[in-house]
Amino acid sequence: DQQVKQNSPSLSVQEGRISILNCDYTNSMFDYFLWYKKYPAEGPTFLISISSIKDKNEDGRFTVFLNKSAKHLSLHIVPSQPGDSAVYFCAASYGSSNTGKLIFGQGTTLQVKP
Amino acid sequence: EAGVTQSPTHLIKTRGQQATLRCSPISGHTSVYWYQQALGLGLQFLLWYDEGEERNRGNFPPRFSGRQFPNYSSELNVNALELEDSALYLCASSLLDRANVLTFGAGSRLTVL
């Protein structure tokens, strides 16, 4: 049962344009969402997060939007840079109850072309 | 500051053998997590240790086990290896009160032949 889904395995955008990565979830009990970025041969690194009490969180070029009614979140990268090329994972947790468990999507490979 | 370190980087075993993977967390982090990333799949939660105790485990059979040592390092043991255990095993650490923000190691690639 895939509770967090990233339906686009890959995305290619031109440098300077916007990258939009999408993520859907099924469990309405999730109350904290995160994005991680992974380069080859490295572990995933935390990028940005959002609590379910918010609908938007911004950090520099990265913005995460949360639509609770649609159970959908998206990561916007503006402007995209070649160094952003990586695999992006969204993850969800029951943040208010500390289970230590993150539920990850399958990942989306972003390629930013110079 | 050293990051999360894992060893070995690669490990090749045959079916039925046992594998042991090791992890050293970031200094000051008491929580250690283990995730499995099989080919084409997302990260699957395996185990969470804090202060030497197993706090939670994912939906994996009992042949996946581990422990956390007094210095907060951890090891993951996989007994009676099966072909489908071939995967990247990622260790992460965090402060207990920031359990969502994990710092991952580069992983150990286990291949079962």
Side-chain angles (χ1 to χ4, degrees):
Chain A
D1 177 25
Q2 192 74 29
Q3 298 187 72
V4 178
K5 295 181 181 180
Q6 294 175 255
N7 292 316
S8 297
S10 63
L11 174 68
S12 181
V13 300
Q14 210 63 37
E15 181 179 6
R17 306 296 291 269
I18 184 172
S19 295
I20 300 176
L21 296 96
N22 294 303
C23 180
D24 297 297
Y25 62 96
T26 58
N27 192 333
S28 58
M29 298 298 291
F30 291 145
D31 57 7
Y32 199 78
F33 304 89
L34 309 94
W35 286 92
Y36 281 79
K37 178 171 72 174
K38 185 180 186 301
Y39 292 117
E42 296 183 13
T45 56
F46 169 74
L47 191 57
I48 192 169
S49 63
I50 188 167
S51 165
S52 61
I53 63 173
K54 295 185 175 182
D55 54 18
K56 177 183 174 181
N57 189 27
E58 197 170 348
D59 184 3
R61 297 185 296 114
F62 302 90
T63 303
V64 57
F65 295 93
L66 176 62
N67 182 334
K68 289 186 292 294
S69 61
K71 295 190 178 68
H72 177 84
L73 65 154
S74 61
L75 175 68
H76 293 211
I77 306 174
V78 183
S80 301
Q81 299 173 355
D84 296 329
S85 298
V87 179
Y88 289 79
F89 293 96
C90 68
S93 77
Y94 312 94
S96 56
S97 56
N98 190 6
T99 67
K101 177 180 178 179
L102 294 180
I103 295 91
F104 284 84
Q106 308 97 306
T108 297
T109 300
L110 172 66
Q111 182 186 30
V112 180
K113 297 179 179 178
Chain B
E1 177 185 279
V4 176
T5 57
Q6 292 187 242
S7 64
T9 305
H10 294 91
L11 187 62
I12 299 175
K13 294 284 187 178
T14 56
R15 285 180 60 190
Q17 286 188 314
Q18 178 196 42
T20 298
L21 308 176
R22 295 179 176 84
C23 172
S24 292
I26 286 177
S27 178
H29 286 187
T30 62
S31 281
V32 171
Y33 311 81
W34 287 94
Y35 282 81
Q36 181 198 65
Q37 186 184 14
L39 192 63
L41 298 180
L43 286 70
Q44 304 290 318
F45 171 75
L46 264 167
L47 290 159
W48 170 32
Y49 291 95
D50 185 76
E51 296 286 359
E53 300 286 332
E54 182 180 300
R55 302 293 184 178
N56 198 6
R57 72 179 286 127
N59 189 24
F60 282 84
R63 54 192 189 81
F64 287 83
S65 65
R67 54 180 171 166
Q68 186 179 33
F69 299 99
N71 66 353
Y72 302 113
S73 67
S74 174
E75 68 179 29
L76 174 69
N77 295 294
V78 188
N79 294 318
L81 285 166
E82 300 179 2
L83 296 178
E84 54 264 35
D85 297 333
S86 295
L88 181 67
Y89 290 84
L90 291 159
C91 174
S93 71
S94 79
L95 297 170
L96 180 60
D97 60 353
R98 294 210 73 197
N100 289 314
V101 183
L102 306 181
T103 302
F104 284 89
S108 293
R109 172 76 60 186
L110 173 64
T111 301
V112 182
L113 303 175

